[in-house]
Amino acid sequence: MQRTLFRRGALLAQKAAVEVSLLPMSAPLQPRLDRAMSSVTIPPPKCMLRPLEVPFRYLFGPGPSNVPPRVLAAGGRGIIGHLHPEMYEIMNDIKKGIQYAFQTQNNMTIAMSGSGHAAMECAVFNTVELGESVLVAVNGIWGERVAEIAERMGANVHIMVKAPGGVFSNGEIEKALAKHKPVLFFLTHGESSAGLAHPVDGIGDLCRKHNTLFLVDTVASLGASPIFMDQQNIDILYTGSQKALNAPPGTAPISFNERACQKMFNRKTKPVSYLFDMAHLSNYWGNDGQPARLYHHTGPVSGFFSLRESLAILAEKGLEESWRHHKEVAGYLWKGLEDMGLKLFIQNKDLRLPSVTTIAIPEGYNWREMLQYIMKHHNMEMTGGLGPSTGMVSVRGMLKSALTKCVLVWGRSSLE
């Protein structure tokens, strides 16, 4: 009955629209429209009258990565409403896919509308209040970013600093936890600016001992290097869609455990960001136990389609197989580079990030000229470090299907 009434209403609305469009235009209205149309002084830009052109590139930088046709096709499906029941089903699938990828049973698991920085800010904004102590491990650019974000929102920020690629021992971390008594401790698992996979075991236990939330960044490592959110007692974990997950940039999975939720939902003040307020986002994702999801913002519908498909591919492949494959391919690349006489920035193989390899710039070579040559002659993107590692290393991510070609081309590019 309701469906029939809806259809009748839609037909009546269409008929009314047609009838209105056929009415003669009133005399006073016509001059006003003419004046409005003739008042346009800025012509259409010529660039917008040309078709879009995008070159094909081998994306061997730390991200974004080349997107598989299956994921691109998913993102190209027809748009549906962000509050439609079918969209909620897709969001529920995404949540389950993230829980698998993170190895967590946390209910408070969502995907942010934005890049990895959105998840980074969401984590800090929701768990830290003005004047609270925050401890940040800085051994590359991402620790620097979190320290600045926390400082901007008024936290009392303390930093532990090592050179790019440096590793913090559990003893050093516990000493800093005892000294600064932070509500939040941040560590990057996959430091893409240095190519480091930082050890995580035991740190979550130390944070619980000192009543501190443990926040971990896996933007460059998720799917490529093992991480176990629940087993390793990680309180907040986030990643980005555009790295090893092989989805377009623009969505960022994040998960909060019960300890983090207790802190997050018992604040004295509201978070500094409305868009990243988990009180609203938890409802939007159906995690707050309420019967209805209310409008908060318009999520990236096509981005969610793509993210769901990339998580489906990971589930079909299996996490352990994905980790094994990344490690195997990375090992092949490392051997090829070292056989050519190049030195890898992270010397300890056990600490190398399988998804991002950093090569020490050979003495006497201009890294900018090398990377420009590779882009110009081979359509391949690599980078010259990031943040504190700029100019120290050449950074390349991995596109597994083109790995052999990449090794050989890098050899020619660096030696010519």
Side-chain angles (χ1 to χ4, degrees):
M1 182 65 179
Q2 288 182 340
R3 186 173 296 179
T4 303
L5 289 173
F6 177 80
R7 287 176 179 170
R8 288 178 180 174
L11 289 172
L12 288 172
Q14 291 175 358
K15 182 180 179 182
V18 171
E19 289 176 349
V20 169
S21 67
L22 295 176
L23 290 175
M25 190 173 292
S26 63
L29 181 60
Q30 183 65 49
R32 288 202 301 273
L33 284 175
D34 290 342
R35 284 198 303 273
M37 293 171 66
S38 64
S39 65
V40 174
T41 58
I42 300 175
K46 292 181 179 180
C47 64
M48 300 310 297
L49 304 179
R50 299 194 302 265
L52 174 67
E53 294 182 5
V54 180
F56 176 80
R57 296 266 163 77
Y58 293 104
L59 299 179
F60 292 132
S65 57
N66 290 98
V67 178
R70 176 175 162 184
V71 177
L72 285 174
R77 288 177 177 267
I79 295 292
I80 60 175
H82 65 291
L83 299 178
H84 289 182
E86 296 84 357
M87 193 67 227
Y88 293 156
E89 285 284 329
I90 292 169
M91 292 166 73
N92 292 341
D93 290 348
I94 290 171
K95 175 180 175 180
K96 292 173 183 175
I98 296 170
Q99 288 172 324
Y100 171 67
F102 284 6
Q103 286 297 282
T104 184
Q105 295 181 348
N106 294 337
N107 173 63
M108 201 57 63
T109 299
I110 70 171
M112 300 296 299
S113 302
S115 68
H117 277 81
M120 182 187 288
E121 291 203 334
C122 175
V124 176
F125 288 168
N126 281 277
T127 58
V128 180
E129 297 194 65
L130 182 69
E132 289 185 327
S133 176
V134 172
L135 179 62
V136 180
V138 178
N139 58 349
I141 190 172
W142 307 120
E144 290 182 347
R145 289 286 170 89
V146 169
E148 181 173 349
I149 289 168
E151 187 176 61
R152 285 186 177 209
M153 52 98 35
N156 183 16
V157 179
H158 308 279
I159 59 174
M160 305 171 60
V161 181
K162 286 188 181 286
V167 175
F168 300 92
S169 70
N170 285 15
E172 291 173 320
I173 292 171
E174 180 163 29
K175 184 177 179 180
L177 290 171
K179 178 180 178 181
H180 301 297
K181 298 178 174 53
V183 298
L184 183 74
F185 171 59
F186 170 84
L187 180 75
T188 308
H189 176 237
E191 180 48 76
S192 55
S193 66
L196 174 75
H198 198 290
V200 174
D201 286 344
I203 300 176
D205 298 331
L206 295 176
C207 287
R208 295 198 173 192
K209 176 181 175 181
H210 292 274
N211 196 29
T212 300
L213 295 178
F214 185 27
L215 167 62
V216 178
D217 178 314
T218 64
V219 171
S221 59
L222 187 83
S225 187
I227 196 80
F228 303 90
M229 184 173 187
D230 289 355
Q231 291 180 30
Q232 293 173 315
N233 284 332
I234 299 169
D235 298 297
I236 311 163
L237 187 71
Y238 68 86
T239 192
S241 57
Q242 75 275 19
K243 307 291 178 95
L245 288 179
N246 284 140
T251 55
I254 187 170
S255 182
F256 300 81
N257 69 7
E258 189 57 35
R259 289 182 77 236
C261 288
Q262 284 294 323
K263 176 74 168 71
M264 187 163 58
F265 296 129
N266 289 282
R267 301 170 55 96
K268 298 174 184 175
T269 59
K270 292 182 179 180
V272 295
S273 170
Y274 180 86
L275 180 60
F276 297 156
D277 188 341
M278 281 299 298
H280 296 298
L281 291 173
S282 62
N283 174 263
Y284 178 49
W285 280 83
N287 293 344
D288 65 350
Q290 297 300 314
R293 303 191 192 189
L294 305 178
Y295 170 73
H296 173 248
H297 74 285
T298 303
V301 173
S302 297
F304 287 156
F305 292 170
S306 299
L307 177 61
R308 187 212 178 275
E309 199 68 13
S310 70
L311 290 168
I313 292 172
L314 180 62
E316 292 165 10
K317 186 181 186 72
L319 266 176
E320 291 180 325
E321 174 60 18
S322 182
W323 297 335
R324 186 204 62 78
H325 196 183
H326 275 87
K327 186 175 181 179
E328 178 185 337
V329 174
Y332 180 78
L333 172 63
W334 298 339
K335 184 179 185 304
L337 294 169
E338 290 174 330
D339 287 349
M340 290 161 47
L342 294 169
K343 293 183 179 180
L344 300 185
F345 187 67
I346 303 296
Q347 296 183 6
N348 186 337
K349 290 184 179 181
D350 294 334
L351 296 177
R352 290 176 188 165
L353 184 58
S355 50
V356 181
T357 293
T358 45
I359 307 161
I361 302 296
E363 197 171 328
Y365 285 87
N366 184 306
W367 64 273
R368 284 192 174 90
E369 290 181 358
M370 287 197 300
L371 299 183
Q372 289 168 1
Y373 182 94
I374 293 169
M375 177 67 82
K376 179 179 178 181
H377 294 278
H378 304 291
N379 252 354
M380 299 172 73
E381 178 203 40
M382 297 184 190
T383 65
L386 195 61
S389 68
T390 301
M392 298 172 63
V393 298
S394 175
V395 182
R396 66 165 311 284
M398 290 206 307
L399 179 63
K400 294 180 282 293
S401 60
L403 177 64
T404 304
K405 179 178 179 182
C406 180
V407 174
L408 297 175
V409 170
W410 168 260
R412 291 197 299 270
S413 301
S414 63
L415 296 175
E416 287 180 3

